[in-house]
């Protein structure tokens, strides 16, 4: 089942940061779509909850060097 989550992500300062986060998330099995907006500290992800969970999404963002609130 596809779900959408909006995460508050800190540390994104430019379009390159957005691209980095989107690339890391969309490389994951089960992620259908990811959008990032550094000015709003927002990352939106459509994902298949049967394949991946929110904790895993957050871990990938943190591993990329950003914070999740």
């Amino acid at each position: 089942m596809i779900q959408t989550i909006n995460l508050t992500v800190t540390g994104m300062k430019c379009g390159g940061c957005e691209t980095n986060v989107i690339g890391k998330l969309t490389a994951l099995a089960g992620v259908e779509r990811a959008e990032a907006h550094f000015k709003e500290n927002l990352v939106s992800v459509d994902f298949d909850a049967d394949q991946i969970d929110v904790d895993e999404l957050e871990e990938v963002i943190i591993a990329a060097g950003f914070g999740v609130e």
Side-chain angles (χ1 to χ4, degrees), residues 20-28 31 52 54-66 68:
N20 186 13
V21 170
I22 292 168
K24 300 287 187 191
L25 290 170
T26 56
L28 299 172
V31 173
I52 193 164
V54 175
D55 288 340
E56 291 172 287
L57 299 173
E58 291 178 351
E59 287 172 10
V60 166
I61 294 168
I62 292 167
F66 304 98
V68 180

Side-chain angles (χ1 to χ4, degrees), residues 26-62:
T26 56
L28 299 172
V31 173
E32 298 282 321
R33 179 197 61 87
E35 290 182 11
H37 305 281
F38 77 91
K39 289 182 181 177
E40 290 84 25
N41 293 327
L42 176 68
V43 173
S44 178
V45 185
D46 295 344
F47 64 101
D48 184 340
D50 293 330
Q51 294 184 40
I52 193 164
D53 63 31
V54 175
D55 288 340
E56 291 172 287
L57 299 173
E58 291 178 351
E59 287 172 10
V60 166
I61 294 168
I62 292 167

Side-chain angles (χ1 to χ4, degrees), residues 4-24:
T4 300
I5 187 166
N6 293 316
L7 300 168
T8 301
V9 176
T10 59
M12 294 189 299
K13 305 222 182 294
C14 64
C17 294
E18 293 173 347
T19 301
N20 186 13
V21 170
I22 292 168
K24 300 287 187 191

